[in-house]
Amino acid sequence: MREDARSKSCVWSRWSEKNAHRKPDVIVNDAAATATLSNTHTSALKPILVTTIIATVLIALVAVNVAQGQQPQASAPARAPPQQQASSNVVIVPGSASLRRDASRVDQVIYPYESFPVDNSQRPPEELHQTSYVIDNKRFIESYSSRCMASTLLEDPDSVEPNFVVIRERSEVRVNATAPIKLIQATGFEPRQPTHIFVHGFTQSYPDTDWLRKTRALFEMHSLVGKENLIIMDWGVGSQGSYQQVAARSSAMGSFLANFLMKLFELGAERESVHIIGHSLGAHIAGFAGKRIRPRIGRITGLDAAGPCFGKLFSNSPNDRLAPDDAIEVDVYHYDDAFLGLPGQIGQFDVFVNGGSSQPGATDNINSMAQALVTMVFRRNRPLSESHTRSTEVATSQLSLTNCQMIAYECRDWPAFLSGECGYCDASNSQCFDMAFHHQYTNRKPPPLRQYSGSRSGGGGGKQFYIATSPNGLYCLQHFQVVVKFEPSPDLVNLAKKQRWKIQLEITNEQNERSNLTITNQVEPSVFTHLLLSEMQPKRFKSAILQVRQGDNSPIQLRDKPNKPGQPANPSRPYSQPPRVNSVEVNFMSSFEPDQRRRLSSRLCPSGWLEAQNSIEDEQQDLSWLTLSEC
């Protein structure tokens, strides 16, 4: 049961008398700040009193920040381990502005995540134990957070405490974040089953948020409820208000989530079986929770992590946002980096959907951006950006109905991916990334946890993947990499650039469906690539016809046989021998199973000539189109 302001003040007095002999890590002696915190809910204040309090708090805040900035950084790891403080009933969090919870219910010390390095992989076990993020307490005290010129200093955590909704087969149970373990156990939580926790974003709540209702429906459709734990973090009370204030509140929400997770672990849940999926600010909340838990949880997925008040313009430190070290696997999906998303690489595996800046079919324009800014400042409850919300729509689309798997491929950038340069994935799938969530696919097991050690520092050293989606409701596109290989020749590079080659290719699949392509991307002297996207069901390609044209659209003569040593040059040609096509490879990309990729991929080799359809002045016009069939 929550306490009123008067009872909290009594608790603070009892704590002060009982623990006057202890020397806290940080001492706050500002009486005005303490009085302000204890009277947060007082609504009838005169304007002059409000002005005085705000000025006093600002001065105190500046003084505390200056004092903290003068403390040596090397002193943080030297704090005593939590086990040595277990006898105390009181927690003093370094950096706290005041004691803001019932201290009598706390039995462990919580160190703030800002005090510890991101990379603990090289630290000895005994030292790592002393500087751990582990939370073993029943309740906690959160240090204040400031972001975007907003602060949680004057907020009572009880007023923004989130709820956790545990979904059962035909019902749901809602518990507070600080509920006792026995109450959480009574919700039907099964510690031996995998746990999925969904966290919404700014101005959203459950059950009002559409993508959360769809997620629950997918779990029920696939009969996953009862086999896996589905939990929705409803922080709707805390997600309301100006965006700056809500963004500053995200760290506290992460502490609430970490505290709830620790109770699940006490019930027997495996840390590696926990998967948190957060959208927008919810992605950072998941990160703030992951920072506070060691050993790490299994996986965190960020759906277009929020950009405003995060990133380079504010603080791009891994401590201030979702970061690669927050879980064993951290995968981030970028949809709206140009406006509301956080650009750049922030996870171990970053997937840039359609390049990551904007989405096809989304009406994001100057007008919608202006409306979004009004929403963020004046607390209007409306969708901010169609590209930003597309991340949740893709996550809840029913992909298994179309037998479509959304597989992203590692590539250096978006233009290179669109040109077909990145379509290879080995048998271990290290160059491709499965975007699937378990509630979307039921015909196969989810992949094991993936971890990329190169991104542990949080400085953008992870892998980046790309994928294209359709604007329709399923967002699925079948990807094929088309590779045209010529017989190597020293003249080929300069010749193709000088004549501005365009390869006209018409390929036919097993059901005689044709696709016409124009290929211009030369990745190697004798190799051209192209990315073929299709909304149709994937089928194996069995034949093709090909023609090479110059910039003026005139065809180039090709050879159908390998070059013979000592063959005399043709004086009418600007090169020694006509080019020859070795093969056309069509590699299927939209599957995570290597056998499926091989089955739907094909290699086509020259098999003859087809009479040209265009009237051109060439003595060998009947040889201008090359036919190819499976090798």
Side-chain angles (χ1 to χ4, degrees):
M1 180 178 299
R2 299 183 176 180
E3 303 173 352
D4 57 17
R6 180 178 301 177
S7 62
K8 289 182 181 180
S9 179
C10 294
V11 171
W12 171 262
S13 300
R14 292 195 303 269
W15 173 83
S16 300
E17 296 174 359
K18 182 178 179 180
N19 297 275
H21 63 283
R22 294 184 69 246
K23 183 179 180 180
D25 295 307
V26 173
I27 302 177
V28 179
N29 292 321
D30 195 314
T34 305
T36 303
L37 287 170
S38 64
N39 292 282
T40 302
H41 300 288
T42 303
S43 58
L45 292 177
K46 296 180 180 180
I48 187 171
L49 179 60
V50 174
T51 304
T52 304
I53 293 176
I54 292 176
T56 305
V57 170
L58 291 177
I59 295 173
L61 179 60
V62 172
V64 171
N65 289 337
V66 171
Q68 292 175 358
Q70 295 174 351
Q71 294 178 359
Q73 298 294 329
S75 62
R79 295 189 181 100
Q83 287 73 9
Q84 297 180 10
Q85 302 287 345
S87 59
S88 174
N89 292 325
V90 179
V91 171
I92 294 295
V93 179
S96 294
S98 177
L99 185 67
R100 302 194 302 177
R101 278 199 174 278
D102 182 1
S104 63
R105 301 186 184 182
V106 186
D107 57 10
Q108 285 288 338
V109 172
I110 312 170
Y111 290 144
Y113 63 88
E114 294 90 347
S115 301
F116 303 106
V118 175
D119 186 7
N120 286 323
S121 58
Q122 305 299 325
R123 304 179 70 88
E126 60 275 6
E127 186 176 350
L128 181 62
H129 181 72
Q130 295 179 9
T131 61
S132 174
Y133 298 90
V134 176
I135 303 175
D136 291 326
N137 60 299
K138 303 300 185 298
R139 292 173 69 89
F140 66 97
I141 304 165
E142 170 63 23
S143 60
Y144 76 90
S145 173
S146 60
R147 190 179 296 275
C148 264
M149 301 181 68
S151 174
T152 60
L153 177 62
L154 300 180
E155 284 190 342
D156 182 358
D158 285 338
S159 66
V160 294
E161 181 175 351
N163 294 325
F164 289 88
V165 184
V166 181
I167 306 299
R168 303 198 292 195
E169 291 192 39
R170 285 179 291 273
S171 63
E172 61 185 35
V173 181
R174 184 181 291 262
V175 295
N176 292 336
T178 55
I181 293 181
K182 291 183 179 180
L183 184 58
I184 298 176
Q185 188 175 21
T187 63
F189 175 79
E190 291 291 341
R192 293 183 297 273
Q193 297 175 355
T195 300
H196 309 271
I197 301 178
F198 290 81
V199 188
H200 60 77
F202 176 53
T203 74
Q204 297 179 338
S205 62
Y206 177 82
D208 296 334
T209 301
D210 182 63
W211 75 275
L212 294 177
R213 295 197 307 271
K214 289 182 178 179
T215 297
R216 175 177 178 174
L218 286 176
F219 268 79
E220 293 174 344
M221 179 187 303
H222 291 157
S223 301
L224 293 176
V225 179
K227 300 177 182 178
E228 301 184 7
N229 296 305
L230 169 60
I231 301 176
I232 297 173
M233 179 180 176
D234 180 11
W235 59 291
V237 176
S239 70
Q240 306 301 319
S242 66
Y243 178 82
Q244 306 95 298
Q245 187 67 27
V246 176
R249 203 176 287 149
S250 59
S251 177
M253 294 299 109
S255 289
F256 277 116
L257 177 54
N259 184 66
F260 183 79
L261 283 172
M262 292 305 300
K263 295 175 183 177
L264 300 185
F265 301 149
E266 289 188 44
L267 290 174
E270 295 289 338
R271 296 174 188 246
E272 293 187 0
S273 67
V274 173
H275 181 194
I276 307 177
I277 302 98
H279 170 238
S280 191
L281 285 177
H284 295 299
I285 290 174
F288 289 134
K291 296 178 197 302
R292 292 162 162 84
I293 298 177
R294 289 297 184 272
R296 291 175 293 171
I297 62 174
R299 180 182 179 187
I300 292 178
T301 296
L303 301 178
D304 210 31
C309 297
F310 299 86
K312 295 181 179 179
L313 293 179
F314 301 93
S315 173
N316 199 31
S317 168
N319 288 333
D320 295 330
R321 56 164 173 80
L322 176 63
D325 200 45
D326 295 341
I328 295 176
E329 175 185 339
V330 178
D331 49 302
V332 182
Y333 300 92
H334 298 258
Y335 286 80
D336 193 23
D337 285 358
F339 184 35
L340 294 182
L342 181 58
Q345 193 144 5
I346 60 177
Q348 299 176 26
F349 307 95
D350 286 66
V351 179
F352 296 85
V353 182
N354 297 302
S357 296
S358 61
Q359 300 305 307
T363 57
D364 295 329
N365 49 39
I366 298 298
N367 182 45
S368 64
M369 291 182 180
Q371 292 178 350
L373 291 175
V374 172
T375 299
M376 295 170 63
V377 176
F378 295 102
R379 312 181 183 188
R380 303 282 181 83
N381 190 357
R382 62 175 299 277
L384 296 180
S385 164
E386 290 188 15
S387 292
H388 191 52
T389 58
R390 180 69 58 85
S391 61
T392 60
E393 296 172 1
V394 173
T396 55
S397 61
Q398 181 50 276
L399 305 180
S400 61
L401 292 178
T402 61
N403 294 321
C404 176
Q405 298 181 19
M406 301 191 73
I407 310 299
Y409 277 73
E410 187 176 6
C411 204
R412 71 173 186 272
D413 55 33
W414 176 239
F417 178 79
L418 280 183
S419 299
E421 297 181 19
C422 311
Y424 174 74
C425 189
D426 58 14
S428 63
N429 293 325
S430 60
Q431 291 100 340
C432 53
F433 189 86
D434 188 358
M435 293 177 58
F437 300 136
H438 200 195
H439 62 274
Q440 292 174 302
Y441 298 95
T442 58
N443 56 353
R444 60 190 178 89
K445 295 181 179 180
L449 288 176
R450 297 151 288 193
Q451 181 175 351
Y452 182 60
S453 59
S455 62
R456 293 260 68 86
S457 62
K463 290 189 173 184
Q464 56 186 19
F465 300 82
Y466 294 87
I467 190 174
T469 63
S470 168
N472 64 30
L474 293 176
Y475 308 108
C476 182
L477 285 176
Q478 306 290 348
H479 291 52
F480 291 87
Q481 181 195 35
V482 180
V483 182
V484 180
K485 296 183 178 180
F486 288 84
E487 185 178 83
S489 169
D491 306 324
L492 199 59
V493 179
N494 296 331
L495 183 64
K497 292 181 179 180
K498 181 179 180 180
Q499 297 182 344
R500 292 176 295 143
W501 279 13
K502 296 183 298 182
I503 301 176
Q504 302 294 328
L505 182 67
E506 181 184 278
I507 53 178
T508 306
N509 62 22
E510 296 172 331
Q511 295 189 358
N512 293 323
E513 297 169 337
R514 298 180 180 180
S515 300
N516 293 288
L517 314 176
T518 299
I519 304 174
T520 59
N521 184 50
Q522 187 177 15
V523 295
E524 295 180 11
S526 58
V527 178
F528 290 76
T529 61
H530 183 83
L531 179 65
L532 171 62
L533 303 173
S534 173
E535 293 185 354
M536 298 184 296
Q537 292 292 329
K539 302 174 184 68
R540 184 184 179 91
F541 289 93
K542 63 177 184 178
S543 63
I545 59 174
L546 180 147
Q547 185 183 67
V548 180
R549 295 176 180 265
Q550 300 185 43
D552 59 2
N553 217 32
S554 60
I556 295 177
Q557 178 62 44
L558 301 176
R559 287 186 294 116
D560 60 341
K561 295 181 179 180
N563 190 21
K564 296 180 180 180
Q567 186 172 355
N570 189 340
S572 63
R573 302 289 181 182
Y575 43 86
S576 58
Q577 292 294 330
R580 178 182 183 273
V581 176
N582 276 348
S583 65
V584 173
E585 298 176 1
V586 185
N587 303 317
F588 181 61
M589 301 168 57
S590 299
S591 177
F592 204 61
E593 290 81 19
D595 292 339
Q596 177 78 347
R597 293 198 299 266
R598 285 191 294 267
R599 188 179 67 82
L600 292 176
S601 299
S602 57
R603 184 171 181 266
L604 310 177
C605 297
S607 59
W609 299 96
L610 181 69
E611 183 176 353
Q613 301 298 318
N614 299 332
S615 177
I616 57 175
E617 295 182 1
D618 191 286
E619 59 179 2
Q620 310 231 5
Q621 70 174 28
D622 58 329
L623 303 181
S624 59
W625 283 91
L626 179 68
T627 63
L628 302 101
S629 58
E630 289 195 77
C631 301

